[in-house]
Structures are given as C-alpha cells and as structure tokens.
Amino acid sequence: MSDPRSFLVSLLACCATAMGTSALAAAPATPLPPAGSPYGDGGVSAFYETDGVTLPAPGTMIRTEELNTPHLPDGTARAIRTLYSATDGMAEGTPVAVSGQILLPPGKVPRHGWPIIAWEHGTTGVADVCAPSWRGYSSRDRAYLAHWLAAGFAIVATDYQGLGTKGPHPYLLYRPEGYSVLAGLQAALKQFPTLLRNRIVLVGQSQGSGAALGAAWLAPAHAPELDILGVVATGVVADFHVPANAAHNPIPAVYTDPTQMDSAFAMLRVEGTDQSLNPTRDASTVLTPTGRDYARQARMSCLHSLFDYAAKKHISSPALFNAKLADYEKDHDAAFQIPDGHISMPVFVGTGLADGEAGTAGQYNAVAAMCDAGTTVSWHEYAGLTHNGAVNVSVRDSLPFVKRLMKGKHIASTCATLALPGPIQQATPGIPWNN
C-alpha cells in the first residue's frame, strides 16, 4: 500500500456513505426505476416530479412535506423533505429542481432560529432511489449527524442535482453540487425564517467534501447573502488548480482512467459525470456488452448493490469500455477541478491515515493548494483510521472548531507545519465503521 497509485485507483474511490456491505440498512420498500429509464430517473414518489411546473428563481422552495423516511439520525425532532429550484450547474442561467431535507434538533427554537449545518453527503449512486431524502442514511452518517443535532444545529441537506430528481447526476462536479448546496440554503432560510438562522457551516464527507469546498468557493459571488462561517471536510475528494509557482508541488498520487478504477465508481462516473457533460451523446456507445449490462444496474440500484453485482459477475473496469471512451471523457477533468485553492473562510480537514479509498496523498494535495492560496486550514490527521472510521472520531476536533467559528474566535492555521503523508497505515481494529 506504500505506492499511492496502488490504492488510489482514482479520486472516485470515495464511497463516503459506504461502510461495508451492511452499512446502509434496508431502504424503504419502493419500486426501482424501470430498467430502460434514462439517467436512473424514477422509483421515487410524485413529490420529486416537476413535469408541467414552471420552476421559480434559484433559491426558491417549490414544495415541502413532513418526512418519515427510515434511518434518520437520533435526536431528529422534525424532518422535512424539500424540493427547491437551483442554478443548473451544467447549463448556467437555467433553473433545475433539486431535492433535499431539513432536520431539526429537539428543544425550544432559539430566538433567532437554529444555526445550520449544511450537510453534503457522500457517494450513494446515480439512480434517483439513492437520494438520501428518499432512502435515508447509513448507520455511520446517522451517528455523525446526531452529534450536530445534539449540539443545537439544524441540518439542511441536499441530494444534489439529478439525484432524486429528473436528469443525470453530475457526480463529483463541484459546480452543480455547489449550486445545489447554496440554493438549498437560500430556499430553506426563506421558507422557515423563524426556525433557521443564517449562520452556516458547510460539512461534507468524501464526495460531499468536494461539494462543500465547491460551495464555499462559489458562495462569495453566487450567494453573498449567506453567512457561511467555515467548512468541515473529511475524507477529502477534491482537486484544485495549482499554479506553476506553487510553494508545494502536488504528489502524483491519482490518475483518472476509468479502466483503472473500481468498476462501480467507473460506471457512476460514466453514467453520472460524463453523461452530464455529454447530454446529447449516448453513453452506451462507449460501453461493451458487459458495460451496457452494468450501466442498467447503475440506473436501477445504489452503490452497494453495484459492488455486489460486480462481485457476483466478476466484472472488472477494463471489460466495461471500448476505445471511444477517451473522447467521451475529454472534458471531465476540467469540470472536476476547482479553479483555485482560495476559500474565503476557515476550513477544517480531517484525514484518516489508513484511508485507502480517498488516499492521503490526494488530501495532502488539496490542503497544500488551499494553504498556498492563503486559505486558513486546520488539518487533523488520525492514525489508524480509515475513510469511514475517521468521520465520527473527527467530531472531537471539528465540533470545537465550529463552536469557535460561531463565537467569532480566531482559527489557528496548520499550514506552517504541513508535511507529506507517509504510506497508508493499517486500520486499527475495534473502532466503529473503521473498515
């Protein structure tokens, strides 16, 4: 595991809500999308539909309903499913409907409303039925969000563009994900002004870390009225443009060839990311017969089902694609990369040193890019903890970080002590979700 390329098959290896085959408890008994459904659309209730609806301006609520989805965090006093309008990150200037949810803590509402944790979830899949507002949360994420509820925060969460709602899910692309985050906050604050306070921290894990950092980067120009105090990012999966004169050279730790990825993530990339970038092209033209079969599975089911199907059928990524893939993917990297590392508010980064999924080298690169661009970064490394195991353990540091932000106190940067990570460590046994 000492060679970064041997474990970091790509930045897409970010099963942020994936904690082993039993991580996500059984989803609600709902119909799957039809096998031929484009983009994995369908299988959810009429709440998510907007056919015949003229979408309002981005940042406006379309509808809400009380949410009884199983697998909500302990301490959820009230849950509200939301559908709102956001800026389409693939076609700026065009609104798109995005789904999400609001979770409220117990107790009396504070005078100015509950401060907000904006939760950006990790990889679930690209089919609509994988949206957390429909499917619920994994045991790991339920425990994690319960910490924030117990600390007196409301949680405003987005499913991201195309996940739950019509159209492809632009998987891992910072702009559509960031717009979904910001518009969800704008809509929630307008809809529930007495329940929610415009004091916000963006909190994301794995795929969600890129969404949180993307939202933070976009916010000053796109949503300046939002009082975003900082970012908490764990298991970071994000890439920043690095100028030629950067103080820290990136570690050559990642590559982005889907044929070298885990087959499930490779298919989510092609069916979600690349289909979003190529809306007029048929993704099946770059797939082999095995790939077309696996693509049907990706449009019908969620991440762990894809893992299970690949294992059952002995599917490997090279068997999925034909020679047309390179041309189909030519715009991917530019759309994934955040233009620079300057985030205008403090950023907490939590990295498990046994993280063999997102890896430590890529997280170092993200931290270094932010530090070099003048961002205040507080980087915490956790010996023996994995991509999943570090999430809840990191609360011991991220919660005090957020409380300091709320009080307007100084956040100390760790950029002066930035050091290269060593080889990926072995996971410490006996720690929940530390697989």
Side-chain angles (χ1 to χ4, degrees), residues 314-336:
H314 306 288
I315 295 173
S316 63
S317 292
L320 299 175
F321 308 108
N322 60 38
K324 298 178 182 179
L325 179 65
D327 178 66
Y328 185 66
E329 287 224 314
K330 61 185 178 182
D331 296 325
H332 180 279
D333 290 349
F336 175 66

Side-chain angles (χ1 to χ4, degrees), residues 62-424:
I62 298 170
R63 65 179 72 105
T64 65
E65 67 179 9
E66 296 300 308
L67 178 60
N68 295 312
T69 297
H71 318 309
L72 291 173
D74 289 345
T76 301
R78 181 183 176 191
I80 305 164
R81 182 179 283 135
T82 62
L83 187 72
Y84 58 91
S85 184
T87 297
D88 187 336
M90 306 308 298
E92 291 208 41
T94 303
V96 64
V98 178
S99 56
Q101 61 188 290
I102 299 169
L103 308 179
L104 300 178
K108 183 180 178 181
V109 179
R111 178 183 175 189
H112 299 292
W114 302 105
I116 296 171
I117 292 298
W119 169 240
E120 289 79 52
H121 70 81
T123 304
T124 60
V126 297
D128 284 351
V129 293
C130 306
S133 72
W134 178 252
R135 186 175 176 84
Y137 289 112
S138 67
S139 60
R140 186 205 69 188
D141 286 353
R142 292 200 305 273
Y144 184 67
L145 295 178
H147 289 296
W148 298 110
L149 290 167
F153 292 92
I155 294 167
V156 175
T158 180
D159 292 329
Y160 309 132
Q161 178 176 334
L163 191 59
T165 51
K166 184 174 293 185
H169 169 42
Y171 179 52
L172 292 181
L173 299 187
Y174 80 92
R175 196 171 292 275
E177 291 179 352
Y179 287 156
S180 294
V181 172
L182 298 174
L185 290 164
Q186 291 168 325
L189 286 164
K190 292 175 190 173
Q191 186 77 6
F192 301 104
T194 62
L195 294 179
L196 301 174
R197 185 181 182 188
N198 188 10
R199 297 275 284 172
I200 301 161
V201 177
L202 306 172
V203 179
Q205 201 272 340
S206 201
Q207 177 189 0
S209 70
L213 290 167
W217 189 86
L218 291 164
H222 192 76
E225 77 280 10
L226 294 179
D227 187 10
I228 300 175
L229 305 179
V231 179
V232 172
T234 56
V236 171
V237 179
D239 187 31
F240 294 94
H241 173 72
V242 178
N245 62 345
H248 299 88
N249 292 322
I251 304 172
V254 299
Y255 56 98
T256 57
D257 179 359
T259 65
Q260 301 299 314
M261 300 172 187
D262 177 280
S263 57
F265 293 111
M267 190 52 66
L268 295 182
R269 169 175 169 143
V270 169
E271 281 292 311
T273 316
D274 296 330
Q275 186 66 76
S276 298
L277 291 166
N278 298 280
T280 62
R281 294 182 64 176
D282 182 357
S284 68
T285 60
V286 306
L287 301 176
T288 65
T290 297
R292 289 193 289 273
D293 175 65
Y294 201 43
R296 284 191 290 271
Q297 300 303 315
R299 293 193 293 268
M300 295 171 62
S301 53
C302 302
L303 186 62
H304 279 294
S305 294
L306 290 179
F307 288 153
D308 294 342
Y309 191 84
K312 179 180 178 180
K313 298 286 187 177
H314 306 288
I315 295 173
S316 63
S317 292
L320 299 175
F321 308 108
N322 60 38
K324 298 178 182 179
L325 179 65
D327 178 66
Y328 185 66
E329 287 224 314
K330 61 185 178 182
D331 296 325
H332 180 279
D333 290 349
F336 175 66
Q337 189 176 78
I338 299 173
D340 66 74
H342 180 66
I343 306 298
S344 60
M345 66 280 293
V347 176
F348 174 100
V349 173
T351 300
L353 295 180
D355 187 343
E357 294 180 31
T360 56
Q363 297 189 61
Y364 166 86
N365 288 346
V367 170
M370 289 189 284
C371 286
D372 290 350
T375 302
T376 297
V377 182
S378 179
W379 189 20
H380 294 254
E381 300 166 273
Y382 300 98
L385 296 186
T386 64
H387 195 62
N388 298 314
V391 177
N392 279 280
V393 173
S394 68
V395 174
R396 71 191 187 200
D397 299 310
S398 59
L399 182 55
F401 170 89
V402 168
K403 288 182 176 180
R404 290 186 68 83
L405 291 176
M406 289 290 165
K407 294 177 181 178
K409 293 186 177 181
H410 172 72
I411 299 296
S413 173
T414 61
C415 289
T417 58
L418 184 63
L420 295 171
I424 295 293

